[in-house]
Amino acid sequence: TTTVLLETMAGKGSEVGRSFEELRAILDRVQLTEKMGVCLDTCHIWDAGYNIAEDLDGVLTQFDKVIGLDKLYAVHLNDSMNPCGAHKDRHQKLGQGYIGLEALVRVINHPALKHLPFILETPNEDDGYAAEIALMRECAE
Ligand SMILES: [Zn+2]
């Protein structure tokens, strides 16, 4: 069985999917909605204006109300080169961007998220990915 995931977007240009409401509107128009889910990209929602550094619980509550946490299947774990709400979409290495290491560690350990697959899309070569994976494993509760 195949599940198609819509990804939260940063909202650069005319990009669709910049808010949880826009993703909901897409899901509402799909017939086989049980075959659809959502992938949450930490850089994208941050750039879209969801402040996961200051209020991760609030953002996830909003996600749950609008989309439903049961629809969340995966997380793209990235830091951001830009401040919250910048609508840019430039990924940064974990802990070297505006989201910051502490906030990203809270993401991987959050009870609503920790069971999900986390995928790195940081600007790295293999060595850099190995270091980030080791760091996240160290920080996982
Ligand atoms: Zn991106």
Side-chain angles (χ1 to χ4, degrees), residues 41 44 89 91:
D41 185 309
H44 295 178
D89 189 3
H91 299 189

Side-chain angles (χ1 to χ4, degrees), residues 107-127:
V107 167
I108 64 164
N109 287 315
H110 195 283
L113 306 176
K114 63 187 302 181
H115 61 287
L116 296 171
F118 288 87
I119 297 148
L120 295 173
E121 297 175 322
T122 47
N124 273 308
E125 302 298 329
D126 285 352
D127 290 359

Side-chain angles (χ1 to χ4, degrees), residues 9-68:
M9 300 305 279
K12 61 182 188 303
S14 59
E15 210 166 62
V16 173
R18 66 176 69 198
S19 67
F20 300 156
E21 286 78 8
E22 287 190 7
L23 292 179
R24 176 81 261 164
I26 295 168
L27 291 171
D28 284 345
R29 284 161 180 76
V30 172
Q31 279 182 5
L32 296 172
T33 148
E34 72 278 6
K35 294 196 180 294
M36 301 286 292
V38 170
C39 169
L40 185 150
D41 185 309
T42 53
C43 169
H44 295 178
I45 63 170
W46 171 262
D47 280 27
Y50 294 100
N51 195 331
I52 53 170
E54 301 273 325
D55 188 18
L56 178 59
D57 279 327
V59 171
L60 292 176
T61 298
Q62 217 177 330
F63 184 98
D64 193 34
K65 267 193 211 150
V66 177
I67 296 172

Side-chain angles (χ1 to χ4, degrees), residues 50-98:
Y50 294 100
N51 195 331
I52 53 170
E54 301 273 325
D55 188 18
L56 178 59
D57 279 327
V59 171
L60 292 176
T61 298
Q62 217 177 330
F63 184 98
D64 193 34
K65 267 193 211 150
V66 177
I67 296 172
L69 282 167
D70 59 318
K71 281 286 182 198
L72 185 56
Y73 283 74
V75 176
H76 285 174
L77 192 69
N78 302 303
D79 212 327
S80 173
M81 286 190 188
N82 291 285
C84 185
H87 300 297
K88 293 284 193 199
D89 189 3
R90 301 279 312 282
H91 299 189
Q92 179 55 295
K93 296 175 183 174
L94 303 184
Q96 295 184 32
Y98 278 85

